[in-house]
Each structure stands twice: as C-alpha cells, then as structure tokens.
Amino acid sequence: MTISLCSQDWNRTWHTHNPDLTRCFQNTLLVWIPCVYLWLFAPFYFFYLKSHDCGYICMTHLNKAKTVIGFLLWIICWADVFYSFWERGHGVASAPVYLVSPTMLGITMLLATLLIQYERIKGVQSSGIMLNFWLVATVCATVTFRSKILQAVNEPATVNVFRYTTFYIYYALLLISLILSCLSDQPPLFSQAVKDSNPCPEAGACFLSKISFWWITGMMMQGYKRPLEEKDLWSLNEEDRSRAVVPQLVRCWDHECNKVKRPDEKTLYSPMRSAMAEKDRRPIEESEILIMKTPQKSGSPSLFLALCRTFGPYFLVSSFYKIIHDILMFVGPEILRLLIQFVNDSSAPSWHGYFYTALLFICTCVQTLILQKYFHVCFVTGMRLRTAIIGAVYRKALVITNAARRTSTVGEIVNLMSVDAQRFMDLITYINMIWSAPLQVILALYFLWQNLGPSVLAGVAVMVLMVPVNAVIAMKTKTYQVAQMKSKDNRIKLMNEVLNGIKVLKLYAWELAFRDKVSAIRESELRVLKKAAYLGAISTFTWVCSPFLVALSTFAVYVLVDEHNVLDAQKAFVSLALFNILRFPLNMLPMVISSMVQASVSMKRLRVFLSHEELDEDSVDRKAVTAPDSIRIVDGAFSWSKDDPPTLKRINVRIPEGALVAVVGHVGSGKSSLLSALLGEMHKQEGSVSIKGSVAYVPQQAWIQNATLRENIIFGQKRKENWYQRVLEACALLPDLEILPGGDGTEIGEKGVNLSGGQKQRVSLARAVYCDCAVYMLDDPLSAVDAHVGKHIFEKVIGPQGVLQGRTRVLVTHGLSFLPQADLILVMVDGEITETGSYTELLGRQGAFAEFLRTYANAEQDGEAEGTGDAVPRKTLENGGPAALLRQSQNSLNTSGTAKPPQKAESNDITAKKTKSADAAKLTEADKANTGRVKFSVFWEYMKAIGLFLSFISIILFFSHHLASLGSNYWLSLWTDDPVINGTQPSRQMRLGVYGALGLSQGIAVFCYSISVSIGGILASRYLHETMLYNVLRSPMSFFERTPSGNLVNRFAKEMDTIDSVIPNIIKMFMGSMFNVLGSCTVILIATPLVAIIIPPLGLFYFFVQRFYVASSRQLKRLESVSRSPVYTHFNETLLGTSVIRAFGEQRRFIGESDSRVDHNQKAYYPGIVANRWLAVRLEFVGNCIVTFAALFAVMARDSLSPGIMGLSISYALQVTASLNWLVRMSSELETNIVAVEKVKEYGDTEKEAEWKLEQTPVPAGWPTAGHIKILDFGLRYREDLELAIYDINVSIKGGEKVGIVGRTGAGKSSLTLGLFRIIEASQGEIHIDGVNIADMGLHELRSRITIIPQDPVLFSGSLRMNLDPFDGYSDEDVWRALEHAHLKNFVSGLPDKLNHECSEGGENLSLGQRQLVCLARALLRKTKILVLDEATAAVDLETDNLIQSTIRTQFEDCTVLTIAHRLNTIMDYTRVLVLDKGQMAEFDSPSNLIAKKGIFYKMAKDSGLV
C-alpha cells in the first residue's frame, strides 16, 4: 500500500525551484526515523545506566516538565490513532500508514518518558541520547511542518483540520522538549560534587555544554581577567584520581605476573611440596631457582596487556568516534565536486548551491565536535595512564631489593616517572592512527579512482616508495634516540651528584673538572642530536613533497596517457582536496611509528623496573618469637643480592626482651649489615630471623625529609604534646629549637641542608623515640655529636635509665664508654659474630674484645667513674651555642648590628621566641610560576643564541617555500581553465613542466629551512646549556641551600630537553601553519573578493579566542610544571629513605602522599587539556565559517567565476581549518615552551661567587710555603639580614703548628673553616696566609692550595682514581702511595679493577669508614701546607681513627693542621687548642695549660673522661 503510494518521481523534490517531499514519504520515513533511533539505542543505554549508577536525583521542576510533556506527546499520538479508528468506523477510507505511524510514535514517546525517569533515578543530569532523539524528531517534523503550511496555502481544500491541529500541537511540544533537554538537572544526592569545595563543573554540565566544552568558559574568563592561581583549579573527577586509577593497573599487572609464574610452579611441585612451601618459604625457593634457571627468562609478564586491560575499554570509545570522523572527512571533497558541477551547470536551480553550502557547514561542524570529543577521550586516557604509571613505579620503588635498587640509579628511576610516563601520554593521542591512517588512505584512493581512473596508480606508487624511506628514517631515529637517552641519563646522573656534592667540589676547587665531564657527555649528546636533525630534514622533505609528487605524477600520467583526457577543474581540485586528506595519514604514520618505537623503549624500561625482585616480606618473622626473646636469628647467612656471596655468615643471636645490646667491631665488619638483616633489607640465604613487636630504626646517615622539624619527628604518628616535649628534651633538641628561626615549625631543606650533622642525627633519633616501638635498631647515632651531648643522649634515651628503658635496643657503636652499661655485647669480625656476652664476661675471656679494649680504653676508663655524677646539674650549658648552619635563616635580633656580649644572650632567647615568624621558617624556595605574557626579549635571546644571520635565512627560506606552493596551485587553476579544442588542451606539456618546476623549488626550500632551523636549535641549546652550567657552578653555597636540587635537576633535564628537541620542531610547525593561513586567506580573497567583508570580524573573533585561550593555557601550563617538581622531589626523597620508611612501616602514608601530589599535578593538567579542546571547537568553527562563506559567495557569484578559481578557493578554504587550529596550538606551545629558555637564562642573574682566577695575582709560585695563618678581627654572617655567626676572632698560627678547634655543637667551629675557604665571605676582618690576604686571591687559587677533609665523605660515581684526582694531575705511583698512607692499599689492590674500581652513586658500595679514608687519601695526594680536618673521624671506629691520626702526624708533620674535634683524645697532643663559644674565641692555649685553667676546655675534657 505504502509502496504504491510512494513511487512518485524525484521531479517534485529535486529538479524544481521549490522543492518538497511527498506526503507518503513524510508519513512513513520521517515519522519512523526518530522511532528507530530510540529503539536501537534504548537497550544499550539501559544497560549502561544500570552499570553506571551515580546516585538519585530528587524530582525537580525540570524533571516534572519533561515527564508531563512526554505524556502529552503520547496522548496526542494516541489521539491520532483513535481518530484513524473513528474514520474507519465512519467508512472514510484512509491509508494504513495513518494507523501504523502514530501507534509507533506513541509507543516511542512512552519509552522516552520512561527513560527520562530512569535517568533521574540513576543520577544522569543531562542526557545526550535523549537530546539527539528530540533533535532528530524535531528536524523530521520541521520538513513536514513546512510542507503542511505550503499545502494549506496552495491547496486549502485538502486540509484535514483534526490532523493539522494535532500535528501543530505535537510540533510545539517537540520544540519545548528539545529546549528542556538542553538544560541540566541538579546533582544527585550524596554525590562528590556536593561535598567538594571546588568541584569540576563538567559533571553537572548539560550535554551541549559538554560537547562544545562550554563548561570551562568560566575558568577561561577568570584566566583572562587575572592570572589563574592554585585556588582556582577544580578538584579532579573521582575516576581520574590516583586512588581510582592506580589500583586497577597494579591489579592487572599482578595478574600478568602471576600468569607467567604459574606454569613454572606446576612443572616443579607436587601438591605436597607446595603445601610445605606455604609453611617455610625459603628452601623451596632455592630449589625453584636452581631448577628453573633457564625457562624463567623466556616468559616475562607483558606490561602491554596489563595496560590494555586497564585502559582498553574507555579507549575503545575513542576509536568509535575516530571511525565516524574519518568517514565525515570525505564529505568535504564530495561537496566540492558537486559545487564545481553546480557552477558548470547553469541550468541547475540556485537553491542547490545554497543546499550544498548548508550541508558543508553542518558536516564540518559535526566533524569538529566529534573530532574534539575523540581527542578529549584520548587525552584523558593519557592522563590516567601517566597517573597509573607514576603510581605503579612509586609503589614498586618501596619494595624492590637493594640489589635491584643498585641496578638503576635514582636518576634513571626518576626518568621512568618523568620521561617515560610522558612518552606514553603522547602516544595515546596518536595510537588510533595505526588503523585509522590505512582506512583514510583506502577511502581516499577509492574516491580518487572514481575521479581520475587508473592513473591514480602512479600516485600510489610514489606513496608506496615513500613508506620504506620513512621507515628507514624512523629506525635510524630510534637508534639515535636510544643513544641520546643514554647520554642524557648519564648527564643527569652526573649533575645530580655534582649538585649533591657541590660543597665538596667548591672546597676542593674541582668545579672545572666536573664542568668538563658534563660538557663531554653533553657534546656526545649534541652529536647524536645533529645526526637526528639531518635525518629530520630529509623526513620533512619527503613529508612535505610526497603529496605534491603524488599529485604531479598522477596528473602527468593522466594527461599524457591519452590526449583526450582533459584536466578540468572538477577533476583537478577534487583530486587536490583528496590528496590533502591523504597527506595527513601519510605524515602521521611515520610519526606514530616512531612514537610507538619510543614508547616501546619506555615500555621495556618500565617492564624491567616493575619486574625487579621484591624484598621478601616473610624473611623476618614478626610473630613466632617465644616469650623471653625479643629478637632471634638462627644460623643466619645474609647477602645483599641473591647471587652475592654472603656478607654475614653463621649468625646466631638471641636477645631477651628489654635488653640493651651493643654491637662493636672494626669498619666494614658488618655491623650495619646486621641491622639491615634484622630489618629484612638483606637477602636471607639460610636460617631464620624473628622479631617481636614493632620496630624503629635510626640509620647511620640520618635521612631527613624536606618538611618542618616537627613533621620530621612526628613522622605521621598522632600528635601527643607531652610525649613530644619529653622526646625533644631527651634528644637534646630544645636548645636547637631556640636557635631555629621558626622553632619546630622551621622548614628543613632537602637532605637536611640547614641542620648540622649532629642535629640531623638527633632529629633522626627523636623520630624513632617518638614513635614508641618495642624494638629499636640504632646504627651509631652518637657518632656525629660531641662527647657530652652523646653522653646526655645515652643517659636520657638509650641507657638503662633512659626514655627507652624496658625496650629492646640494638646499638651499633664506636664509643667504648657506653659498653659497661650494655646487657649484651656482640663483637663482629668480617661478617661473623665472634664473641657475645656482657662487658665483664668479655673482658674476662681475654679474647679479641679484651685486646680491642685494652688498646683504647685506658684513657677513657679512668675518667668514667668520676665523670658520671655531675652530668645532670650542668644541664643548662648543654649544647648552648647556636648551630652554625642555622644562624643563616635566623631573623636579625640585634637591630643595632653590633654583636652583644655573651652573657646577655639568655635574655635574647626570649625575644627570639616572639619574633620567630612564619616566613623565617621557610628555607627552600619553591619553583615560582611566572605570570603574564612571555616577554619578547626571551624570543630575542633565543634568536641571539641561534645567531641572527641564521634566523633571518630560515625565515626567508620559509617564505620562498610557501610562495612556490601557492604559485604551483594557482598555475594548476589556470591550467584547468584552458579552453578545450577538439577534445584536448593544446598547451598541456608546457603547463605540466612549469607545474613540476614550481613543485621542485618548493621541495628544495623545505629541505634547506628544515636543516637551518635544526642546526640553529642545536647551536642555541649548546650555548644555553654551557652558560647555565657555568652560572650554576659559579653560584655560592647559599644558593644551593635555598634552591631544591629537584628544581636544578629539572632545569638540566626537562628544560634542556625542551630546548634540544621540542622548540626547533615547534618553530618549524608554527612558521608553516602561519604561512599556510596567510596563503589560504590570500587565495580566497583573490577568488571571491566579497569574503573581505567576513574575514575581519572572523579574524577579530579568532584573535580574541586566541588571547583568551593563551592567557589561561599559559598559566595552567605553568601551574602544571610548578606542581610537577614536588612529585619528583618527593620520589627522590623516598628513594633515599626507603629503608627507614619500611622499618617504620610507613609505606602506605608515603604512597598516599605521592598520590596526592600526582593528583595535585593532574588538577592543573586536566583544565589544560579541556582548554585545548575548547579552543579547537571555537577555532574550527571560525574555519568552518570561512569555508561556508567561501562557498556561499562562490555560489552567489557563479556567473562571473571560472570553475578553476572556485575550485582553488574552496580547496584552500577546506585546509584553512586545520591550519588555524594548528597555528594557535603552535603559538601557545611556542609561548609555553620558550619559557624553558627563560628558566635556563634565569640563573645568569643570580648572585655569583668571587672570580675563580684573577689576572694579576698577588700569589707567589709555591705559596703557601710556611703555612702561617693570621686571623685578624674576623667575623662572618650567613645572610645579609642575620647576626654575625662568629666575630672578633684574633688568632695567629705559626707554620707547622697543630691546632685543635673545639666547642659545643654550633659554636661556630665549621663557620671558621667556611671563612678560611671563602665559602662564605668575611663580613669583618681578614685572614692572611703567609702574608697574603686571602680576600685578594681567586677562589681556585686559594682552595686548590689548602686541603680539607670534610665532615661528610662525598664520593662521585666514576672510577676510584677519578675520585682521588679528577684533573689527572698525578701519576699512578703517587696515587698508590697516597692509598698506602691512607691504609686503603690492601683494600684497593684486592678489588678486581684496582684503581678503576667503579664507585656507585654517592660511593654507596664503600662503607662510611672507607669513604672517609678515601677523603684522607685525597688530602695526602694534594699534600698542601695547610690541612683542615672537619670532624672527619666521627664515623670511624677507634682503630681506624688511630690510623688516620698517626698518618696525619707522620705525613703532615711539617704542615699546619687545623682539626675540628669531637673526640678530645685526638687533639690532646696538639700544640694548641682554640676553644670557641657562641661565635667568639673563648680560650686559646696548649691543652695542658687549658686543663690547668679549669675553663670550658677542662669541663669538656672531664665529660669525655680525659681528666
């Protein structure tokens, strides 16, 4: 029935000046389309809602209105149905369509109404499905509406009043529904948004706002009015947070790991064995390793699968969008074909042209929205991926074994987080191109074949030839990439060490040696970059020229094969438009492939890291100890990694609960290793370890976080005020708090830079005590503090009457005076426990211990008895003076600037308390986010770094390239307009020749500018890196204390990487897209001058959008990069303190902290992504308008336009959208990335040290010859606004004298040496050495001629030889001699590589004592006339100490030696002793005279039991 009704011809619809659709078509298809749409999507939508429940929305007016209108529509449809029945009943013949359509429509409306309610119950605030349904229904009804009106006007007799009335009501209700569905409902009850202080508006935005990204406009407005700040950022959506994302990946990864492990176990164990394996893991695993050695390597868990599992589903959505977009891409050229056909065919009704134009506009707009939605999904996936990877790496870093930790340096692991996670993020946006590019190519070829026939194959051949070329380039680029990454890793690792050991570099005047080392690595990196640049130029050349070559070859073949093949406008320009589409996938494929290659390198690195061995959590049994014992080791053998020989063997220990156990032994005998074994940090080869109760640990080198002092001590426990005060008092920290500018709220710098060694150790101890555990492992906590503070701490904390009495305490110590009070002493020799017992037992045994004691203890023992009684009343003097390194951040109290005499200092402390302010407590400066536009001067700096000549050459080459490109296309349009004579175009040979020549010149220009820009970029980055490195090394120590090393490393890693590889590419793309846009506008203006009316307003709109966007985007980028540093700083810190974190069981808190920092970073990143999408939608709209107007004016002027010019104009217009988009993207990228140049230049303006070398030097050749030091009225301060740290020092030291410098912690002992080396310049007075004022010398001249053995022994990774003599200034014999005198010769000659033995990062593969001896060897090698020892012997046991002292006595016999001493027995035979107190010189005389005087020195000697 309907078929017969609908077979009317097209004449009524298409070939007419007033089109209309047939009545039958309106009643069937137009009614059925919306119904089919809804019924198709409803079931899927229903299941989606069922699984994504967001909570319940209360009934609102909006919801009631939607529901009521839905019911009204349903009633109207039924009214139509009943009317049809009524007609039938009254014998009026009506087609069945009038019954079927309203019934269908009615049921559909009911479904729509039910869906509205179901959405409300499931918490959907705005629904795209429903909006689209109402839209489709309205569009279909609008057609009917128009024809009904036309019918009523033209044929009033045929009108059916009832049906007309119902239809008009139906139409009105549809419009209302459409408007209502554009609005958004209120948020569901109990949703996150209600609780959140600053929720992301996305969740509550309506569908239209979501697809056009309108919801971010509020933030953009704010960002335009004033620079955005931290507080303006929205919270992250729940599903993007670390706590939601990371566990998913970790789960999937564990699943993958288990899959690999499972089959192995099946082959190995019968069920009985595996049941036994549950009980006692160790031996089984041994056997497993033995048997499974070979197959284990074959299957490694796949990180790729784990990632797919985690992010795949959400990602598939993006693929769906991509397919739709790819298909829509080909609508443009098709419409262009129809438009040219329309211009050629003068008989076509003019509404066709307008119809095509409208269709073009709608298609391009839909394409825009879909593409942006696709990108949004991709970027969000990328963001989640980065969060997940960072989270997984962090969690893994907390559990890997020490052996695994040693295979990758801190720098490499941080790189996994920064660089590799970023790689993945970048890849995700492109990865769909892997299938999308071939799809686009196939579609394009299909349409081209339609257009030009088989001659397309010539073009295809050219493309196919290009693929291997690009593939080869990609492969080569990959190898360069790997090489560059390697150099970069090495460079960052070295920089890391340089920055960590900067103080040592300065003291030894080694900056130049290390600058050369860094520069050498940098040069090799630049060589690789240069090769990559040449390759890049070739690939850019093929990339820009391939579309042109394809077009040229195709047209040439087409024209030359048959002279009747005429190249007319339709063929040429539709083909060009298709070739332009082809260009994108062909360009992208090599990029995606190289991006995938990079990501696969990163994936491998990540997989290796995530598959590292983990610490066996069961190696220490926390449950099984029987009552009396607190710690038990039975037959233990431990090594640092599975394959090493055991470091500790035959260990049997039983420690009763509450005992104080001392562990003694020589350097390197395995004392610290024993504690590590108890903590489960070592690999247990055999035996069993069990510990009862919670554990606290104080490492040998204190690990201090960059947080306030209070946070360092409380360490995540509950705050108990009284207990906290007791702990501070017991650990002798109260006097320090008085000095600290912010009390216990003072921020401690990274690695505790603003605390002295003793303070760090005490804070570390206080942390352990505060945490109130059952077992305490103390690794030599008393070494870094003076004798009397050590005594105080032992009595108040560790000893039998201390805070920790009744707990089990394992104390590694070198201090013999504490041994009698220990319940049990373990003596270690070469990794074995040779003797155990109490002090008296061991003495009675006459074994190694007794001898060990007899050598050292006589002097100490005598003083012990009388010294114990009087330690308590003298509490007031305890650690009185200000800690040297803390004065620097103290507020100036003495406003007059003169130093007050010491006795008034007490009253000062009270005022000090009051003036402690919040800003004084801050030390490190966070990376600041600059605001406002990037200044032109930065661009100018960059151009100068490239070289102005090269810069201008590049610009000229760019210009000529685009000129040639425009010329060739204009020539093509003239060619297509050539008249056809006898079915051929006569001058086609000449046309073809010129076309080819223009194309060739275009290619040459491309090649040249690509090379010039890349080489320019490399020149710039070499220059910028050199100057930055030099500037940083020239900075004074205070600069490094203020600036977190994370910031500096970030400059050398991230910012240099940007300057190396990102900026040159961005400049190329920016210039390219800028010239593209200008060219396109020119062509369109030439073709249709009317467009001139439109371009200015669109240009203005474009400009506003761009400024709006750039203002916010730039700030968001800055906020993002500022919040990125803390993620890495925290990670760095964690890596250094893993053993402490594990011992205290604080992993979860640290993971939480890391997650919150990552979220904080993503909080700034997410609006950045959305801002990009917001911009793209607006800009593409501008582009779409340009296309539409170009088409519209062409249609209007179709009589005066030649088809060639029209084709040219519209094919250019079709390109303009992409170029516009790219232009803004690139200009903002350029602005955000050029900031790297600004940041790198920034260190040029900071303060610098004095000159390293002076031209006219007052220094005689062999200076200093005698080593005579004269200090006159000397004083110095740490910062301009602080008091003098030491003042009025007058000392004269004769050449060859041995002078000890003593004083309480912080009395200014170290300050004096800092002044001697001019690490800090004098504020008053002067120092003369051999009659030369040191202030008149170059720093290197001074520092290279006096030697120091510093407090912390710093080694750099590299050979041992490099650590002793970085300038290679001494022969091997000299070096060996120095090692022999430093008692290292046996150790070094026992190493496989001897002098070339690689020291690991920070020298971690040597024990602390050995490192100290290496520093001694350095001093012996330089053998200068003046030697300064800075508490160098604190970390060494007494035997080694004696070795060092005797070496210094014999080897430096005729030198002047200044020793800062904690152990007074080392300086009792010195010629004189200088006693400092509160920054002043208190006493200066020979030791015997000072003891006779009974002054400060006498008291200190008494504390140490020396008198």
Side-chain angles (χ1 to χ4, degrees), residues 151-166:
Q151 187 191 355
V153 172
N154 300 335
E155 321 166 23
T158 58
V159 171
N160 179 328
V161 179
F162 182 82
R163 284 213 172 88
Y164 265 57
T165 317
T166 54

Side-chain angles (χ1 to χ4, degrees), residues 97-237:
V97 124
Y98 288 119
L99 192 60
V100 175
S101 290
T103 313
M104 260 182 87
L105 202 56
I107 297 171
T108 307
M109 289 303 166
L110 190 60
L111 174 69
T113 314
L114 292 175
L115 269 177
I116 288 170
Q117 280 308 312
Y118 191 62
E119 283 178 342
R120 177 181 71 81
I121 292 166
K122 290 294 182 189
V124 177
Q125 289 174 260
S126 169
S127 150
I129 294 273
M130 294 311 291
L131 178 74
N132 283 338
F133 167 69
W134 295 120
L135 185 65
V136 172
T138 312
V139 168
C140 289
T142 308
V143 176
T144 316
F145 182 69
R146 175 178 172 270
S147 63
K148 278 211 190 306
I149 289 181
L150 286 175
Q151 187 191 355
V153 172
N154 300 335
E155 321 166 23
T158 58
V159 171
N160 179 328
V161 179
F162 182 82
R163 284 213 172 88
Y164 265 57
T165 317
T166 54
F167 178 77
Y168 288 144
I169 296 172
Y170 165 78
Y171 187 61
L173 289 175
L174 270 185
L175 282 176
I176 296 171
S177 267
L178 180 62
I179 292 163
L180 287 180
S181 66
C182 292
L183 304 176
S184 176
D185 218 331
Q186 66 180 39
L189 292 171
F190 319 117
S191 74
Q192 278 304 116
V194 184
K195 290 180 247 172
D196 213 327
S197 55
N198 192 4
C200 181
E202 182 183 12
C206 67
F207 176 72
L208 283 179
S209 166
K210 272 184 193 163
I211 59 169
S212 64
F213 299 97
W214 184 258
W215 53 272
I216 195 182
T217 311
M219 183 183 273
M220 305 296 269
M221 298 280 274
Q222 242 176 342
Y224 186 65
K225 290 185 199 136
R226 60 174 176 76
L228 290 172
E229 290 161 37
E230 198 86 1
K231 59 174 192 297
D232 303 322
L233 300 176
W234 303 312
S235 314
L236 267 182
N237 294 330

Side-chain angles (χ1 to χ4, degrees), residues 778-1067:
L778 310 168
D779 194 348
D780 206 2
L782 304 175
S783 63
V785 296
D786 340 352
H788 75 277
V789 178
K791 192 165 170 186
H792 166 90
I793 288 177
F794 188 81
E795 282 170 6
K796 294 281 187 192
V797 182
I798 305 167
Q801 272 76 51
V803 185
L804 299 183
Q805 58 183 4
R807 316 280 160 75
T808 310
R809 291 142 295 170
V810 181
L811 172 69
V812 169
T813 183
H814 293 134
L816 303 178
S817 49
F818 309 126
L819 295 182
Q821 305 186 37
D823 304 325
L824 181 66
I825 297 174
L826 309 177
V827 184
M828 296 202 66
V829 179
D830 292 334
E832 294 189 45
I833 297 180
T834 52
E835 300 183 87
T836 58
S838 69
Y839 186 73
T840 42
E841 282 173 26
L842 289 177
L843 266 183
R845 266 191 222 156
Q846 297 296 320
F849 178 71
E851 234 158 78
F852 175 68
L853 276 182
R854 222 170 274 124
T855 345
Y856 300 119
N858 298 337
E860 287 201 21
Q861 232 29 58
D862 308 337
E864 193 56 49
E866 55 215 83
T868 42
D870 58 7
V872 185
R874 273 210 348 275
K875 180 70 198 66
T876 48
L877 255 168
E878 185 63 67
N879 198 17
L885 269 161
L886 273 144
R887 283 273 174 97
Q888 57 177 5
S889 36
Q890 186 175 9
N891 279 357
S892 172
L893 305 174
N894 307 7
T895 39
S896 59
T898 55
K900 297 188 181 173
Q903 62 270 23
K904 292 209 187 120
E906 297 310 311
S907 60
N908 269 4
D909 280 353
I910 299 146
T911 45
K913 273 271 169 48
K914 290 175 192 151
T915 52
K916 283 175 189 175
S917 63
D919 61 319
K922 292 288 289 169
L923 168 82
T924 52
E925 299 170 356
D927 239 346
K928 287 183 289 291
N930 297 347
T931 49
R933 291 195 63 166
V934 179
K935 298 177 202 60
F936 176 71
S937 59
V938 180
F939 289 98
W940 187 242
E941 281 290 344
Y942 187 68
M943 279 178 74
K944 278 200 305 207
I946 293 177
L948 295 180
F949 176 68
L950 200 55
S951 307
F952 289 121
I953 291 273
S954 307
I955 293 173
I956 292 165
L957 284 167
F958 257 110
F959 188 69
S960 51
H961 159 224
H962 281 278
L963 212 59
S965 157
L966 268 181
S968 62
N969 283 339
Y970 185 66
W971 186 258
L972 186 66
S973 82
L974 293 179
W975 179 1
T976 58
D977 288 341
D978 272 357
V980 179
I981 303 164
N982 302 333
T984 69
Q985 286 169 318
S987 57
R988 59 193 179 166
Q989 307 268 346
M990 182 269 294
R991 291 286 188 195
L992 190 61
V994 174
Y995 186 60
L998 282 166
L1000 189 65
S1001 55
Q1002 183 182 336
I1004 292 167
V1006 170
F1007 185 69
C1008 295
Y1009 83 63
S1010 185
I1011 282 206
S1012 68
V1013 171
S1014 301
I1015 296 299
I1018 287 172
L1019 291 175
S1021 70
R1022 168 184 289 141
Y1023 168 75
L1024 290 167
H1025 181 268
E1026 280 294 293
T1027 48
M1028 169 160 77
L1029 182 60
Y1030 184 69
N1031 283 332
V1032 167
L1033 290 176
R1034 279 289 315 281
S1035 303
M1037 267 318 290
S1038 54
F1039 168 80
F1040 295 97
E1041 277 151 13
R1042 276 199 316 272
T1043 317
S1045 65
N1047 292 6
L1048 285 166
V1049 171
N1050 214 351
R1051 295 282 191 278
F1052 280 101
K1054 193 91 180 68
E1055 319 296 354
M1056 275 328 293
D1057 194 40
T1058 306
I1059 293 173
D1060 284 345
S1061 43
V1062 180
I1063 293 183
N1065 285 335
I1066 286 181
I1067 287 180

Side-chain angles (χ1 to χ4, degrees), residues 329 331-344 352-354 356-361 364 569-570 572-578 580-581 969 973 1079-1088 1091 1183-1198 1201-1218:
M329 271 177 83
V331 174
E334 266 316 284
I335 295 178
L336 174 62
R337 189 174 64 81
L338 293 170
L339 273 170
I340 294 178
Q341 194 177 310
F342 164 78
V343 170
N344 279 338
H352 283 190
Y354 298 118
Y356 292 143
T357 307
L359 200 59
L360 188 61
F361 183 65
T364 46
Q570 188 175 331
F573 286 106
V574 173
S575 306
L576 267 190
L578 288 166
N580 274 330
I581 288 181
N969 283 339
S973 82
S1080 303
C1081 289
T1082 321
V1083 170
I1084 297 170
L1085 277 172
I1086 293 171
T1088 44
V1091 176
N1184 297 344
C1185 287
I1186 292 181
V1187 177
T1188 309
F1189 283 116
L1192 185 68
F1193 291 137
V1195 168
M1196 285 160 67
R1198 71 171 176 172
L1201 261 189
S1202 77
I1205 291 288
M1206 176 179 179
L1208 181 70
S1209 153
I1210 292 178
S1211 63
Y1212 261 102
L1214 283 172
Q1215 283 181 54
V1216 87
T1217 317

